[in-house]
Protein backbone atom coordinates (compact mmCIF):
# COMPACT_ATOMS: atom_id res chain seq x y z
CA UNK A 1 0.00 0.00 0.00
CA UNK A 2 1.30 3.50 -0.87
CA UNK A 3 0.19 7.03 -0.07
CA UNK A 4 0.96 9.63 -2.76
CA UNK A 5 1.89 12.63 -0.69
CA UNK A 6 3.50 16.08 -0.55
CA UNK A 7 5.19 17.66 2.49
CA UNK A 8 3.46 21.09 2.49
CA UNK A 9 0.10 20.39 0.84
CA UNK A 10 -2.81 20.51 3.32
CA UNK A 11 -4.91 17.61 2.01
CA UNK A 12 -2.19 14.94 2.24
CA UNK A 13 -1.41 16.32 5.70
CA UNK A 14 -4.99 15.58 6.78
CA UNK A 15 -4.35 11.93 5.97
CA UNK A 16 -0.92 11.89 7.65
CA UNK A 17 -2.32 13.39 10.87
CA UNK A 18 -5.24 10.93 10.79
CA UNK A 19 -2.84 7.99 10.37
CA UNK A 20 -0.63 9.29 13.18
CA UNK A 21 -3.64 9.52 15.52
CA UNK A 22 -4.38 5.87 14.76
CA UNK A 23 -0.71 4.85 14.88
CA UNK A 24 -0.81 3.40 11.35
CA UNK A 25 2.32 3.36 9.16
CA UNK A 26 1.93 3.59 5.38
CA UNK A 27 4.67 3.85 2.75
CA UNK A 28 4.70 7.35 1.27
CA UNK A 29 5.61 8.48 -2.23
CA UNK A 30 6.36 12.19 -2.53
CA UNK A 31 4.80 13.71 -5.65
CA UNK A 32 6.62 16.69 -7.18
CA UNK A 33 3.74 19.10 -7.76
CA UNK A 34 5.95 21.81 -9.24
CA UNK A 35 7.24 19.39 -11.85
CA UNK A 36 3.64 18.38 -12.62
CA UNK A 37 4.05 14.72 -11.66
CA UNK A 38 0.38 14.67 -10.61
CA UNK A 39 -0.73 15.56 -14.17
CA UNK A 40 1.09 12.78 -16.03
CA UNK A 41 -1.04 10.19 -17.87
CA UNK A 42 0.23 7.57 -15.41
CA UNK A 43 -0.87 9.57 -12.37
CA UNK A 44 -4.22 10.48 -13.98
CA UNK A 45 -4.92 6.73 -14.08
CA UNK A 46 -4.69 6.80 -10.28
CA UNK A 47 -6.80 9.97 -9.84
CA UNK A 48 -8.53 11.48 -12.85
CA UNK A 49 -8.55 14.86 -11.07
CA UNK A 50 -4.74 14.91 -11.00
CA UNK A 51 -4.57 15.65 -7.29
CA UNK A 52 -3.05 14.24 -4.15
CA UNK A 53 -3.42 12.46 -1.79
CA UNK A 54 -4.04 9.10 -3.42
CA UNK A 55 -3.93 5.81 -1.56
CA UNK A 56 -2.93 2.90 -3.79
CA UNK A 57 -3.81 -0.48 -2.35
CA UNK A 58 -1.77 -3.63 -2.97
CA UNK A 59 -4.42 -4.88 -5.45
CA UNK A 60 -4.01 -1.66 -7.49
CA UNK A 61 -7.21 0.01 -6.28
CA UNK A 62 -6.67 3.77 -5.98
CA UNK A 63 -8.62 5.85 -3.47
CA UNK A 64 -8.45 9.63 -3.74
CA UNK A 65 -10.18 12.33 -1.66
CA UNK A 66 -8.60 12.75 1.77
CA UNK A 67 -11.76 11.97 3.67
CA UNK A 68 -12.44 8.82 1.63
CA UNK A 69 -8.90 7.65 2.47
CA UNK A 70 -9.45 8.43 6.16
CA UNK A 71 -12.76 6.56 6.13
CA UNK A 72 -11.02 3.53 4.64
CA UNK A 73 -8.64 3.46 7.60
CA UNK A 74 -11.41 4.20 10.13
CA UNK A 75 -13.30 1.14 8.82
CA UNK A 76 -10.21 -1.05 9.18
CA UNK A 77 -9.06 0.45 12.53
CA UNK A 78 -12.13 1.82 14.33
CA UNK A 79 -10.25 2.67 17.55
CA UNK A 80 -9.77 5.46 18.39
CA UNK A 81 -12.82 6.65 16.48
CA UNK A 82 -12.29 9.95 14.66
CA UNK A 83 -15.61 10.04 12.78
CA UNK A 84 -17.83 9.40 15.82
CA UNK A 85 -19.70 6.34 17.02
CA UNK A 86 -23.19 7.56 17.97
CA UNK A 87 -25.68 8.80 15.35
CA UNK A 88 -25.48 12.32 16.78
CA UNK A 89 -21.68 12.47 16.89
CA UNK A 90 -21.31 11.02 13.39
CA UNK A 91 -23.73 13.62 12.01
CA UNK A 92 -22.13 16.53 13.89
CA UNK A 93 -18.61 15.63 12.82
CA UNK A 94 -19.76 15.27 9.21
CA UNK A 95 -21.59 18.61 9.38
CA UNK A 96 -18.50 20.42 10.63
CA UNK A 97 -16.20 18.72 8.13
CA UNK A 98 -18.45 19.68 5.25
CA UNK A 99 -18.60 23.29 6.43
CA UNK A 100 -14.83 23.41 6.78
CA UNK A 101 -14.25 21.97 3.32
CA UNK A 102 -17.08 23.65 1.44
CA UNK A 103 -16.90 27.11 3.02
CA UNK A 104 -13.56 27.69 4.77
CA UNK A 105 -11.42 25.42 2.58
CA UNK A 106 -13.00 26.63 -0.66
CA UNK A 107 -12.39 30.29 0.21
CA UNK A 108 -8.81 29.61 1.31
CA UNK A 109 -8.37 27.80 -2.03
CA UNK A 110 -9.59 30.88 -3.94
CA UNK A 111 -7.20 33.11 -1.98
CA UNK A 112 -4.36 30.66 -2.63
CA UNK A 113 -4.94 30.42 -6.39
CA UNK A 114 -5.18 34.20 -6.66
CA UNK A 115 -2.35 34.92 -4.25
CA UNK A 116 1.36 35.68 -4.19
CA UNK A 117 2.80 32.16 -3.84
CA UNK A 118 0.88 30.77 -6.82
CA UNK A 119 1.89 33.84 -8.82
CA UNK A 120 5.50 32.76 -8.21
CA UNK A 121 5.36 28.98 -8.50
CA UNK A 122 2.69 28.46 -11.13
CA UNK A 123 3.37 31.36 -13.49
CA UNK A 124 0.89 31.34 -16.37
CA UNK A 125 -1.09 28.32 -15.15
CA UNK A 126 -3.88 30.46 -13.67
CA UNK A 127 -5.38 33.80 -14.60
CA UNK A 128 -5.30 35.57 -11.26
CA UNK A 129 -8.28 37.69 -10.24
CA UNK A 130 -7.42 40.15 -7.44
CA UNK A 131 -11.12 40.94 -6.74
CA UNK A 132 -11.81 37.25 -6.13
CA UNK A 133 -9.00 37.17 -3.57
CA UNK A 134 -10.33 40.27 -1.80
CA UNK A 135 -13.72 38.56 -1.44
CA UNK A 136 -12.35 35.19 -0.36
CA UNK A 137 -9.95 36.79 2.15
CA UNK A 138 -12.95 38.55 3.73
CA UNK A 139 -14.94 35.30 3.77
CA UNK A 140 -12.06 33.47 5.47
CA UNK A 141 -11.72 36.14 8.15
CA UNK A 142 -15.49 36.12 8.73
CA UNK A 143 -15.36 32.32 9.07
CA UNK A 144 -12.55 32.60 11.62
CA UNK A 145 -14.74 34.94 13.67
CA UNK A 146 -17.71 32.54 13.56
CA UNK A 147 -15.47 29.64 14.51
CA UNK A 148 -14.08 31.64 17.42
CA UNK A 149 -17.65 32.20 18.64
CA UNK A 150 -18.43 28.47 18.39
CA UNK A 151 -15.25 27.52 20.23
CA UNK A 152 -16.34 29.67 23.16
CA UNK A 153 -18.89 26.94 23.92
CA UNK A 154 -17.00 23.71 23.35
CA UNK A 155 -13.49 22.31 23.46
CA UNK A 156 -13.19 20.97 19.93
CA UNK A 157 -14.71 21.75 16.54
CA UNK A 158 -17.54 19.19 16.72
CA UNK A 159 -17.95 18.76 20.47
CA UNK A 160 -15.93 17.78 23.51
CA UNK A 161 -13.76 15.22 21.73
CA UNK A 162 -11.03 15.54 19.13
CA UNK A 163 -12.25 14.29 15.73
CA UNK A 164 -11.58 14.28 11.99
CA UNK A 165 -13.22 17.74 11.92
CA UNK A 166 -10.36 19.10 14.05
CA UNK A 167 -7.82 17.54 11.69
CA UNK A 168 -9.47 19.15 8.65
CA UNK A 169 -9.72 22.55 10.31
CA UNK A 170 -6.16 22.50 11.67
CA UNK A 171 -4.62 21.53 8.33
CA UNK A 172 -6.47 24.14 6.33
CA UNK A 173 -5.93 26.97 8.86
CA UNK A 174 -2.20 26.18 9.23
CA UNK A 175 -1.91 26.19 5.43
CA UNK A 176 -3.76 29.51 5.24
CA UNK A 177 -1.42 31.05 7.80
CA UNK A 178 1.81 29.65 6.37
CA UNK A 179 1.23 29.93 2.63
CA UNK A 180 -1.76 32.22 2.01
CA UNK A 181 -0.99 34.94 4.58
CA UNK A 182 -4.39 34.45 6.23
CA UNK A 183 -3.58 34.16 9.91
CA UNK A 184 -6.52 34.34 12.33
CA UNK A 185 -6.57 37.65 14.20
CA UNK A 186 -4.76 37.43 17.56
CA UNK A 187 -7.90 38.70 19.29
CA UNK A 188 -9.75 35.47 18.45
CA UNK A 189 -8.79 33.87 21.74
CA UNK A 190 -11.02 30.78 21.56
CA UNK A 191 -9.65 29.90 18.13
CA UNK A 192 -6.10 30.50 19.42
CA UNK A 193 -6.72 28.22 22.43
CA UNK A 194 -8.08 25.45 20.17
CA UNK A 195 -5.16 25.83 17.71
CA UNK A 196 -2.68 25.48 20.55
CA UNK A 197 -4.42 22.36 21.84
CA UNK A 198 -4.67 20.54 18.50
CA UNK A 199 -1.25 21.79 17.38
CA UNK A 200 0.46 20.34 20.43
CA UNK A 201 -0.78 16.79 19.78
CA UNK A 202 2.12 14.62 18.54
CA UNK A 203 0.12 13.85 15.35
CA UNK A 204 0.22 17.54 14.32
CA UNK A 205 3.83 17.19 13.18
CA UNK A 206 3.08 14.21 10.94
N1 LIG B 1 -10.89 17.22 -2.34
C1 LIG B 1 -9.54 16.74 -2.46
C2 LIG B 1 -8.63 17.92 -2.75
C3 LIG B 1 -7.23 17.47 -3.13
C4 LIG B 1 -6.34 18.65 -3.44
O1 LIG B 1 -6.81 19.80 -3.66
N2 LIG B 1 -5.04 18.38 -3.47
C5 LIG B 1 -4.09 19.42 -3.77
C6 LIG B 1 -2.93 19.37 -2.78
S1 LIG B 1 -3.50 19.88 -1.17
C7 LIG B 1 -3.51 19.16 -5.16
O2 LIG B 1 -3.28 18.04 -5.53
N3 LIG B 1 -3.30 20.25 -5.89
C8 LIG B 1 -2.74 20.20 -7.20
C9 LIG B 1 -3.74 20.49 -8.28
O3 LIG B 1 -4.94 20.60 -8.00
O4 LIG B 1 -3.31 20.58 -9.41
C10 LIG B 1 -9.14 15.98 -1.19
O5 LIG B 1 -9.78 16.20 -0.16
O6 LIG B 1 -8.20 15.18 -1.21
Amino acid sequence: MKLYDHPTAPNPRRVRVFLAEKDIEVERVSVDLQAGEHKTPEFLQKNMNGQIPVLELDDGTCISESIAICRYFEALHPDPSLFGTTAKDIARIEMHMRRIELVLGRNIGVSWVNGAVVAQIAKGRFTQIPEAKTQSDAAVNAYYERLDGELANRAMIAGDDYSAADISAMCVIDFAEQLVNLKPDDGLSNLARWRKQVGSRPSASA
Side-chain angles (χ1 to χ4, degrees):
M1 188 186 324
K2 287 178 200 158
L3 180 68
Y4 291 89
D5 190 20
H6 184 275
T8 60
N11 286 295
R13 183 178 175 220
R14 289 203 283 175
V15 176
R16 291 199 307 274
V17 173
F18 190 90
L19 291 173
E21 286 286 338
K22 287 191 178 272
D23 205 13
I24 300 169
E25 296 272 348
V26 176
E27 182 192 343
R28 294 188 208 154
V29 179
S30 189
V31 176
D32 187 341
L33 298 180
Q34 257 185 280
E37 276 179 10
H38 55 313
K39 304 296 183 195
T40 61
E42 192 197 354
F43 196 87
L44 292 174
Q45 292 290 316
K46 302 183 196 302
N47 178 2
M48 68 173 190
N49 285 340
Q51 292 186 321
I52 52 163
V54 173
L55 180 72
E56 185 168 25
L57 305 184
D58 292 341
D59 69 359
T61 304
C62 287
I63 304 170
S64 54
E65 294 301 322
S66 320
I67 295 305
I69 297 171
C70 293
R71 286 201 182 279
Y72 174 79
F73 287 110
E74 177 96 348
L76 288 177
H77 305 270
D79 289 320
S81 158
L82 291 169
F83 284 106
T85 51
T86 66
K88 196 162 99 176
D89 285 349
I90 292 168
R92 284 182 61 79
I93 291 166
E94 187 69 25
M95 172 182 84
H96 285 284
M97 280 196 313
R98 289 183 68 79
R99 284 180 181 168
I100 288 156
E101 285 198 42
L102 299 175
V103 184
L104 180 61
R106 184 175 53 82
N107 279 301
I108 288 171
V110 172
S111 293
W112 161 249
V113 163
N114 292 292
V117 175
V118 165
Q120 281 295 316
I121 65 174
K123 277 196 184 88
R125 266 185 57 207
F126 301 99
T127 303
Q128 293 197 302
I129 307 167
E131 296 80 3
K133 180 168 164 21
T134 304
Q135 282 188 19
S136 54
D137 283 0
V140 169
N141 285 316
Y143 197 99
Y144 287 160
E145 280 189 32
R146 293 202 298 277
L147 201 51
D148 184 71
E150 295 222 315
L151 287 166
N153 303 317
R154 55 179 184 267
M156 294 288 141
I157 296 281
D160 291 335
D161 298 323
Y162 181 83
S163 73
D166 294 288
I167 297 176
S168 285
M170 176 183 76
C171 292
V172 80
I173 295 172
D174 286 355
F175 173 75
E177 176 175 352
Q178 290 156 13
L179 287 163
V180 196
N181 200 21
L182 282 170
K183 181 182 184 300
D185 190 278
D186 288 339
L188 301 177
S189 58
N190 304 306
L191 185 53
R193 181 270 303 157
W194 166 84
R195 291 189 78 198
K196 202 169 167 192
Q197 264 177 286
V198 294
S200 60
R201 293 174 78 93
S203 62
S205 58

